[in-house]
Structure formats: structure tokens, C-alpha cells
Amino acid sequence: MVSDGGGRQRTVAARRTGPRHGRGATEGVELAGKRREYDEEDVRIRPGRSSRPRTRTRPRHEDAVPAFVVSVARGRYICVLIDLDRDEGPGVPEGGTDAPALVTAMRARELGRKSVVVGDRVFLVGDTTGRDGALARIVRIDERRSVLRRTADDDETTAEGRLERVVVANADQLVIVSSLADPPPRTGFIDRCLVAAYDANISPLLCLTKSDLASPAEVLDYYAELDLRYVLLRPDADLAELRQLLGDRISVMVGHSGVGKSTLVNRLVPAAARAVGTVSAIGRGRHTSTSAVALHLPPLSADGPDRGGAAGWIIDTPGIRSFGLAHVSANSLLHGFSDLVEGTVDCPPNCEHTAAEAECALPAWVAAGHADQRRLASYRRLLASRAGETE
Ligand SMILES: Nc1nc2c(ncn2[C@@H]2O[C@H](COP(=O)(O)OP(=O)(O)OP(=O)(O)O)[C@@H](O)[C@H]2O)c(=O)[nH]1
Ligand SMILES: [Zn+2]
């Protein structure tokens, strides 16, 4: 059930080289990865006749410092400076987890139209002291390892409202938080999250809370055919296993209101209230569009023997109530339903697998007992409505 580091590395490697459906531009960027340190944001220095170094290109901002974008509000980016001495994996904040050095930054003009989102690794110049009123500039964005998207459904009536949006960058893991009772688990929502995760090549982790109130048997049975990793949580649960799964990587947490997300974040990151408070002073006020906040997890040693791995980041997404999937193709949707894939072997070419497809092989295959009826129903529900309004 529990993934190992090796498996994760394979996933990352596949992500870098594998083609992405319908995203030629992304692929180009990925292929150009080798040159990214010296891309269009850098100046060309003409080799002179003098004794200047013969380097043909040189980064324009050699003194830029690495930082991690933890929040976005009102066109400003709240960044945490990364400790240069511990700049491996997802990075460790300068100043420590409890009191990270927060720097407010704006985009530099030279970034052009490139977006900056929570989870991005950026490079800052200018005033990076983090003092009141200090403003740094983001001059570079590191190549993204992953991009979690959703189709925004806040306004279904306008083209803009239906735009595909990047939720977070560089996530390794999608933590789907669902309570077993109060509110009851919604497998439709979990299914939707699984599709988003597999589409983005991010491994899912099911986090079932309130196991003191109800048994997980039914939910686990529903996902029996998927090799889905999960953890059970209750108020007195030991979080060591979860911490282990969150270590050394970037995780995004999603879940409906009331499932116990805040409770969990506060247990995982006792300093969270303060850290989020700091961010809120800067711009998480009433009129902001902030929908994600990244928090650095305390080192694993806090929970037992130090396992040597760097602590990870957890990105809470309080503003995200649904996962519109209109940007995911019908075929890609099937990635979230690997238990059904075999049943499509006998489908006619280009079968859409919808109820309208009279010759779709799925219903007979499922009726023969190869998969759970509810899974087919959920898949077809997602197919029919990918905008995200129902669950
Ligand atoms: N019985 C039980 N109650 C829990 C557990 N976890 C959280 N709760 C309770 O569930 C309620 C909701 O918890 P929150 O942490 O506020 O849930 P949330 O997902 O952050 O909800 P929003 O703040 O609305 O997004 C609170 O009253 C918690 O005390 C649990 O494991 N067991
Ligand atoms: Zn079919």
C-alpha cells in the first residue's frame, strides 16, 4: 500500500519525458529543460576582444535567491526563502519551519505572460529582507515538475469562468481528505480528485478522517480494485505514518468543508496558525482570490527517530470546493478508473463509453462481475458532466 522512494522517482522520470495529451507547448518546455538556466530571460553577452570570460551566455541575475511561492493574493506573491545550505528536494525554509522568512514579491516584467502559482520555485532579486513594505521581484521561475489543473466553475455562464486554471505547481502528491461521517464520504468527489491527480501525474493519497465515528469498510471496498494508498485518522490517531508519507515531497490537500482539514493541518503543522496569520496580514483579506497556502512541515524527527529525509510541504486549498475536469479528455478520464480499463478492450474504436454508446462493452463486462457497478456509474457521471458542479 505504501509507496517507496524508488516508485516515486520512476514517476517523476516518466513525467519529464512522457508526451502530454494535447499540450505540445508544455512538452516543448520540458524538452528544452536542459537549457532552462539560460533561457530567454537571460542576456547574451557578446564575447569581446578583451580578456573577458568567454562565456557566451550568463544569467542576468546571478545574485537571485531561490524561494518557494506559498500564497498568491492581489497580484502579490508571498514567498519563503529557501535555505541555500539545505536546498535539496522541495527545499527547507530559511529561518526554520516555525518562523520562515516571508518575502512579498511582484513579477518582474521580463517574465512576460508566464504565470506564477503556489508551489512554484522562483528566483528573487531586490529587497528580500521581508521587512514591512519591502517588495522583491520574481525574475525566474523554475521548470515545473507537475501542474495540477482544474476547470474553474465559479461562473459557468462566461467563457472566462470556465477557464482552465492551474491550482498548484510541483505537487508530488494529492491528499484527498474525506470524512467517514459528518459529512458522509462522497465517492463522487474522491473519484473526481483521482482523475485530476492521475491526469497531472501526481500520486493520490486518500486520507479518511473521523474513523472514530464510522467504519471505512464501505469506502475501501469501493476502491478495492485500485491500488490506492490510504490512511485512517481520528482525534487520537498517531500521525507518524502520515508524516512519513508527507516527508520530502510537496503534497496538496483537498477536501470538502467540515471533513477535518483544518484540524489535520493544525496537528501536522502546529505553527500553521501563526504562519497563515502572517500571510493573512499581508493579503488574505476579504477581497482576495487566494485559494492555496503552502506550509512547511516540521522535520520528521519531531515524531520519532530522525529518518534523515527532509520535511515536505503541504499545500492547503481552502478556496477549492470542486474539481472541474472539463479540460480532461474522455479517454484520460479513464486513468482515474484503472479498474475499468480492461473492460474497454472489446469496445468499438473511438467508443466514448457513455450510456449513449450502444456497443460499449463496459456494461456487460461490469455486469459479469469484473468491476463494481458503482464505479461504472461514477465514471459515466463524470463523463456526462465534467464541469464539476454536482459532487
Ligand atoms: N469525531 C471527529 N471529529 C473530527 C475529526 N476531525 C475533525 N473533527 C471535527 O469536525 C469539525 C470540522 O473540522 P474542521 O477541521 O474545521 O474541518 P475543515 O475541513 O477544515 O472544514 P472547513 O474549515 O469548513 O473547510 C470540527 O468540529 C472538528 O472538531 C475526527 O477525526 N473525529
Ligand atoms: Zn466503451
Side-chain angles (χ1 to χ4, degrees):
M1 244 329 108
V2 172
S3 82
D4 60 296
R8 183 166 157 258
Q9 273 163 18
R10 270 201 303 283
T11 315
V12 172
R15 191 183 295 154
R16 280 183 190 277
T17 52
R20 297 268 196 132
H21 47 271
R23 292 202 219 291
T26 316
E27 210 179 323
V29 170
E30 286 179 359
L31 288 175
K34 276 249 166 340
R35 292 184 359 240
R36 83 189 143 76
E37 277 176 299
Y38 304 102
D39 61 12
E40 72 276 10
E41 288 147 24
D42 307 309
V43 258
R44 269 178 197 285
I45 297 172
R46 215 173 270 148
R49 278 182 211 108
S50 66
S51 57
R52 280 198 213 141
R54 296 172 75 208
T55 337
R56 249 172 295 154
T57 60
R58 183 187 285 175
R60 185 189 289 170
H61 301 288
E62 283 178 316
D63 54 343
V65 293
F68 186 86
V69 178
V70 296
S71 179
V72 181
R74 293 195 197 124
R76 294 287 189 255
Y77 304 89
I78 315 301
C79 307
V80 163
L81 296 183
I82 293 299
D83 188 338
L84 285 172
D85 294 330
R86 299 169 71 192
D87 187 16
E88 74 244 343
V92 172
E94 201 179 292
T97 303
D98 287 359
L102 285 177
V103 174
T104 304
M106 58 180 282
R107 323 155 40 84
R109 244 168 207 225
E110 58 210 85
L111 288 183
R113 302 179 64 178
K114 281 185 187 172
S115 69
V116 178
V117 299
V118 172
D120 263 325
R121 164 67 69 105
V122 295
F123 289 85
L124 303 177
V125 298
D127 191 341
T128 57
T129 59
R131 279 196 291 261
D132 248 10
L135 194 58
R137 273 185 308 136
I138 300 173
V139 291
R140 282 205 300 279
I141 309 165
D142 235 355
E143 184 191 4
R144 290 174 180 162
R145 294 198 315 280
S146 74
V147 172
L148 180 66
R149 298 163 203 273
R150 72 182 187 113
T151 309
D153 56 346
D154 11 30
D155 184 2
E156 298 256 351
T157 57
T158 65
E160 202 187 26
R162 295 187 66 95
L163 274 183
E164 166 188 330
R165 296 188 184 164
V166 173
V167 181
V168 294
N170 296 321
D172 302 295
Q173 185 162 257
L174 183 67
V175 180
I176 307 161
V177 186
S178 174
S179 48
L180 290 162
D182 188 25
R186 285 184 237 183
T187 51
F189 175 74
I190 300 172
D191 288 345
R192 190 176 283 280
C193 292
L194 289 176
V195 169
Y198 291 124
D199 179 62
N201 229 330
I202 296 172
S203 48
L205 171 66
L206 186 56
C207 198
L208 298 170
T209 61
K210 310 199 188 185
S211 67
D212 53 320
L213 300 182
S215 156
E218 205 176 318
V219 177
L220 294 180
D221 177 58
Y222 178 75
Y223 291 108
E225 293 304 313
L226 297 187
D227 204 8
L228 188 57
R229 298 173 309 152
Y230 70 92
V231 286
L232 293 180
L233 295 176
R234 49 194 294 162
D236 57 348
D238 175 22
L239 294 183
E241 186 197 357
L242 178 59
R243 278 192 215 278
Q244 192 71 45
L245 291 167
L246 299 176
D248 201 19
R249 66 192 67 178
I250 299 172
S251 304
V252 194
M253 214 185 238
V254 290
H256 277 292
S257 179
V259 297
K261 226 150 45 84
S262 312
T263 306
L264 182 57
V265 170
N266 288 335
R267 283 190 70 195
L268 286 169
V269 196
R274 198 161 70 226
V276 173
T278 316
V279 171
S280 97
I282 300 163
R284 283 193 69 210
R286 282 163 298 150
H287 307 292
T288 68
S289 56
T290 303
S291 56
V293 178
L295 299 162
H296 192 257
L297 293 156
L300 285 174
S301 51
D303 232 12
D306 193 348
R307 284 132 179 141
W313 290 84
I314 185 121
I315 301 177
D316 193 10
T317 57
I320 294 170
R321 299 270 178 241
S322 65
F323 248 106
L325 297 174
H327 62 284
V328 181
S329 75
N331 241 338
S332 295
L333 263 192
L334 207 49
H335 292 304
F337 294 83
S338 55
D339 46 336
L340 299 179
V341 170
E342 204 189 317
T344 64
V345 170
D346 293 328
C347 285
N350 303 321
C351 181
E352 298 266 340
H353 313 308
T354 59
E357 290 268 7
E359 293 185 39
C360 179
L362 272 174
W365 186 80
V366 171
H370 295 295
D372 194 318
Q373 286 283 359
R374 295 170 302 175
R375 290 283 291 164
L376 176 58
S378 177
Y379 173 57
R380 286 191 156 174
R381 250 196 333 271
L382 285 189
L383 273 178
S385 136
R386 269 174 278 154
E389 71 283 359
T390 46
E391 270 89 20

